[in-house]
Amino acid sequence: MTDDTGQIVADGLAPGEYKLNEIAAPKGYIVNTLPISFTIDEEAEGEPDIIDLETMVNYKGSVEWQKITEDGEPLAGAEFKVFNQDEELVTTVNSDENGMVQIGELGPGTYTVQETSTIEGYILNSEPFDFTIDKDYRGKPESIILDQFKNYQGKVQLIKMTDSNEPLAGAVFDLLRDDEVIKSGLTTDENGQVFVEDLIPGNYSFTETSAPEG
C-alpha cells in the first residue's frame, strides 16, 4: 500500500521478472489495471541499485455531450445538474458557445444528467441521461461521450372537417399566442390540415378568418 508520499518500497526480491499490479485505488479514483513490469538482474557489482519504477497514475473519469436544436445547431447556455447514485448534487454546468458540456474529476459510479434550465424559445428536455464511470481501466480512461442532447420547439396540427366528417380544404386561420396574431393566412390543404412548427412555449389558439365557399 502506498504511504503518505504516494510511494511503495519492496525489498528482498530474488532475481527474476516481475509485474506490479494495482488492485485497489484510493476512494474516488479509478483502479489503473495497466501493470508495470521490471526485472531483478541475477548479478550486480556489490549492492544492486534500487530500481526506480515509472510513476503509476490514478485517474478520475470525465464525460461530455453536446446541446443542439432539432436541426443540429448548437445551443449555448442550457443548464444541467449532475447527480451521483445517491441522488446527491455533484455539479451544475452550462453548455458553451458550441453547445458542449465537459465534466471531469468524476469518481467511479453511476451518474444522472438532468437539464434544469433551457434557452428562451425552446422546450425544457426533462429526459434524464445516465452514465457510469467504471471502477477500473487500463491506463488513462477515455472521456465518455453521451448522445447529443436536443431541445425542441413545439408543433401543432389542425384538421378542418365538414359536418359529415369530410376534410375541408381552403379554410383560412390565424394563429394567436396570448391573444396576439403571430401567423395569418394559414390555409387548410386537400386533407383539411394546417401544420405549424417552431413554436416557443406558450398559450396558443386558432381563429378561423375565412371559410370555403358554401
Side-chain angles (χ1 to χ4, degrees):
M1 184 178 295
T2 53
D3 61 18
D4 55 6
T5 66
Q7 294 184 335
I8 290 178
V9 177
D11 52 17
L13 300 178
E17 303 287 336
Y18 293 86
K19 283 185 178 180
L20 185 65
N21 292 293
E22 184 175 61
I23 58 174
K27 184 178 180 181
Y29 287 87
I30 298 169
V31 175
N32 190 341
T33 61
L34 185 66
I36 297 177
S37 300
F38 63 96
T39 301
I40 303 295
D41 293 332
E42 294 194 8
E43 58 182 48
E45 293 184 4
E47 183 177 355
D49 293 331
I50 296 175
I51 298 175
D52 190 4
L53 301 180
E54 61 187 276
T55 301
M56 176 179 277
V57 180
N58 275 120
Y59 298 94
K60 290 190 174 185
S62 59
V63 64
E64 58 186 83
W65 65 90
Q66 187 181 29
K67 184 66 174 174
I68 60 172
T69 68
E70 188 175 3
D71 297 327
E73 295 298 318
L75 278 174
E79 181 188 84
F80 296 87
K81 292 187 184 297
V82 180
F83 300 89
N84 63 19
Q85 56 203 13
D86 297 322
E87 300 183 355
E88 298 169 332
L89 178 63
V90 175
T91 186
T92 301
V93 290
N94 292 82
S95 56
D96 65 17
E97 59 186 9
N98 298 311
M100 294 300 300
V101 177
Q102 297 174 317
I103 304 172
E105 297 298 305
L106 296 173
T110 299
Y111 297 85
T112 299
V113 178
Q114 186 76 56
E115 184 178 60
T116 51
S117 177
T118 192
I119 294 85
E120 183 178 359
Y122 289 87
I123 298 169
L124 183 73
N125 190 338
S126 59
E127 179 184 6
F129 272 67
D130 294 332
F131 66 94
T132 299
I133 303 295
D134 291 335
K135 63 181 179 61
D136 52 45
Y137 197 88
R138 188 178 176 87
K140 183 177 182 179
E142 298 178 356
S143 183
I144 295 174
I145 310 296
L146 300 182
D147 290 338
Q148 290 174 318
F149 204 103
K150 292 183 180 180
N151 271 125
Y152 297 89
Q153 292 184 313
K155 303 175 183 179
V156 64
Q157 176 178 270
L158 176 146
I159 302 178
K160 181 70 172 177
M161 309 290 287
T162 68
D163 56 5
S164 57
N165 287 327
E166 294 295 324
L168 192 58
V172 182
F173 291 85
D174 286 344
L175 178 64
L176 298 84
R177 182 177 66 243
D178 297 329
D179 299 324
E180 178 184 354
V181 176
I182 61 168
K183 290 183 182 291
S184 60
L186 300 170
T187 305
T188 56
D189 61 18
E190 65 272 13
N191 298 311
Q193 295 181 347
V194 167
F195 181 76
V196 186
E197 55 186 348
D198 298 330
L199 298 176
I200 68 174
N203 297 312
Y204 293 83
S205 60
F206 280 105
T207 299
E208 187 174 50
T209 57
S210 176
E213 184 178 355

